[in-house]
Amino acid sequence: MSSPAATPQPPRRVLIVEDSAVLRHLLMRVVAGDPRLELLEAVETAEEALRLVPRLRPDVISMDICLPGMDGLEATRQIMAHFPTPIVIVSDTLGGQATHVSMNALRSGALAVLEKPQGLSGTAGAAVAQGIATQLYIMSQVPVIRRRLMEAEPFRHKGMWTRPLSIHPRILALAASTGGPTAFARVLGDLPADFGLPVVLVQHMGASFMEGFAQWLDQQVALPVMLARHGMALERGRVLVAPGNQHMTVGTRGEIVLHDGPPVQGQRPSADVLFSSVAGVFGADGLGVLLTGMGEDGVQGLGRIRAHGGYTIVEDRSTAVIHGMPGAAERAGAACISLPVHEIAPHILRIMAGSPIPTEGPSDP
């Protein structure tokens, strides 16, 4: 007897907020052309969106930043405060100010930042439309996590490896995708200004947003943050961010090496590439952290750090916006421990101080 067919999932309901008539109609075409999505409404102002959200209860919102009256940043804050809903910023890339505003929107609770489409004709246009539709569909299924609930989350962890206390890391490498900006701000913001390790990180984000992301993160944390350049020396207490559309590795002389190799796990820069280089150069002295994000980038590289005797941390599902990357690392045995985002920096500081590290769960075979 054959098993019953799976019940088809209803399309995810989309609210578009865009003041440009041309771009509004482009986005409407994107949504209407994808069977996974259903267009609820397309409005020109944040005030209209705030009026409609409690009545329509969309599954996801496409939000512009520059709107007449209330801007998209304030609209994002108000929606996340009163009617938490997955929000995707669809923004222009007109210089540092727009990028800075987009970073603040991410901090306010938006899940992703996409560049506005300039058109949908031809093969390139079809790929842009598919990318926007897929992002809206994926984000529509993300359980929205209120920041205040994350901060109030009681301490709990899942130790997967009984680690000796003689841990002496010489570098901290971090990576994230969706939800990464706020996670990085939390982890790095909890580290002191005199933190004793060089820090390198990969964030999956459009290349045009990376300079602004580094500037925004620099304003959020005590440590200096800057976009990495080829040949730049690793320095204790400095955070170097992988630039857009280039892989970042660490060299044997303690320098940054950038290259244009093919994407790994569909990403460039890739967490796997960075983590693997840390494993190769620093061995047991590498400390790797994999935060929120979808997909599996970083899993193999994090596993290499652990295989070389280094220490690895993944973000726990209780705080991860998307538990895809850290969850895959757990399943692959690449993680030494899983922690809520607000416990990662204190755990790192305990490691640096040589304090006992609490673990529980099965020991490493």
Side-chain angles (χ1 to χ4, degrees), residues 126-164:
V128 169
Q130 177 69 19
I132 293 174
T134 297
Q135 283 287 317
L136 290 172
Y137 176 72
I138 291 172
M139 298 307 163
S140 73
Q141 301 174 75
V142 175
V144 177
I145 298 173
R146 295 173 185 256
R147 185 172 178 82
R148 63 179 180 84
L149 293 180
M150 289 170 59
E151 292 175 347
E153 184 76 25
F155 171 71
R156 68 175 184 267
H157 61 270
K158 296 179 291 185
M160 291 161 285
W161 189 24
T162 303
R163 174 73 182 183

Side-chain angles (χ1 to χ4, degrees), residues 69 107-108 110 161 175 183-184 188 230 273 295 324 360:
R107 189 178 180 215
S108 299
W161 189 24
F184 282 131
L188 297 178
H230 184 75
V273 171
E360 60 186 30

Side-chain angles (χ1 to χ4, degrees), residues 160-183:
M160 291 161 285
W161 189 24
T162 303
R163 174 73 182 183
L165 298 183
S166 57
I167 305 169
H168 303 290
R170 292 190 292 132
I171 188 170
L172 171 61
L174 308 97
S177 183
T178 306
T182 52

Side-chain angles (χ1 to χ4, degrees), residues 47-268:
E47 288 81 2
E48 289 178 275
L50 289 171
R51 177 176 59 82
L52 289 175
V53 166
R55 178 163 64 86
L56 298 180
R57 293 300 180 113
D59 296 311
V60 65
I61 299 171
S62 168
M63 177 72 74
D64 187 17
I65 288 293
C66 298
L67 297 167
M70 181 188 298
D71 64 21
L73 176 59
E74 181 59 28
T76 296
R77 287 175 178 151
Q78 294 204 22
I79 291 169
M80 297 310 295
H82 300 291
F83 301 98
T85 306
I87 296 176
V88 175
I89 300 297
V90 183
S91 174
D92 287 314
T93 56
L94 304 177
Q97 183 177 1
T99 303
H100 176 75
V101 172
S102 297
M103 291 304 101
N104 279 321
L106 286 169
R107 189 178 180 215
S108 299
L111 296 181
V113 179
L114 304 178
E115 295 184 29
K116 285 184 176 179
Q118 302 305 310
L120 299 178
S121 60
T123 303
V128 169
Q130 177 69 19
I132 293 174
T134 297
Q135 283 287 317
L136 290 172
Y137 176 72
I138 291 172
M139 298 307 163
S140 73
Q141 301 174 75
V142 175
V144 177
I145 298 173
R146 295 173 185 256
R147 185 172 178 82
R148 63 179 180 84
L149 293 180
M150 289 170 59
E151 292 175 347
E153 184 76 25
F155 171 71
R156 68 175 184 267
H157 61 270
K158 296 179 291 185
M160 291 161 285
W161 189 24
T162 303
R163 174 73 182 183
L165 298 183
S166 57
I167 305 169
H168 303 290
R170 292 190 292 132
I171 188 170
L172 171 61
L174 308 97
S177 183
T178 306
T182 52
F184 282 131
R186 182 60 195 264
V187 173
L188 297 178
D190 287 342
L191 297 177
D194 61 351
F195 183 62
L197 300 180
V199 182
V200 287
L201 71 82
V202 162
Q203 165 67 51
H204 296 164
M205 186 178 289
S208 57
F209 292 108
M210 292 311 302
E211 180 72 42
F213 167 65
Q215 293 173 4
W216 171 83
L217 189 58
D218 182 61
Q219 296 170 1
Q220 308 305 311
V221 306
L223 298 171
V225 181
M226 61 189 66
L227 208 61
R229 299 190 306 272
H230 184 75
M232 183 179 284
L234 298 173
E235 293 183 5
R236 290 191 303 173
R238 182 170 70 174
V239 181
L240 297 180
V241 177
N245 208 28
Q246 285 188 294
H247 288 308
M248 180 171 74
T249 64
V250 294
T252 56
R253 298 188 302 275
E255 81 282 13
I256 292 292
V257 178
L258 303 177
H259 65 86
D260 299 323
V264 176
Q265 295 285 341
Q267 303 293 339
R268 189 172 64 195

Side-chain angles (χ1 to χ4, degrees), residues 157-171 197 278 282-288 302-313 333-339 347-348 350-352 354-365:
H157 61 270
K158 296 179 291 185
M160 291 161 285
W161 189 24
T162 303
R163 174 73 182 183
L165 298 183
S166 57
I167 305 169
H168 303 290
R170 292 190 292 132
I171 188 170
L197 300 180
V278 167
F282 289 89
D285 298 330
L287 176 56
L302 201 71
R304 291 190 178 102
I305 292 177
R306 185 177 179 188
H308 281 72
Y311 193 78
T312 56
I313 303 170
C336 297
I337 196 166
S338 172
L339 295 169
H347 191 75
I348 290 171
R350 285 195 293 269
I351 290 173
M352 299 288 293
S355 302
I357 300 171
T359 59
E360 60 186 30
S363 298
D364 190 40

Side-chain angles (χ1 to χ4, degrees), residues 268-290:
R268 189 172 64 195
S270 161
D272 272 330
V273 171
L274 175 61
F275 287 158
S276 295
S277 74
V278 167
V281 173
F282 289 89
D285 298 330
L287 176 56
V289 178
L290 188 57

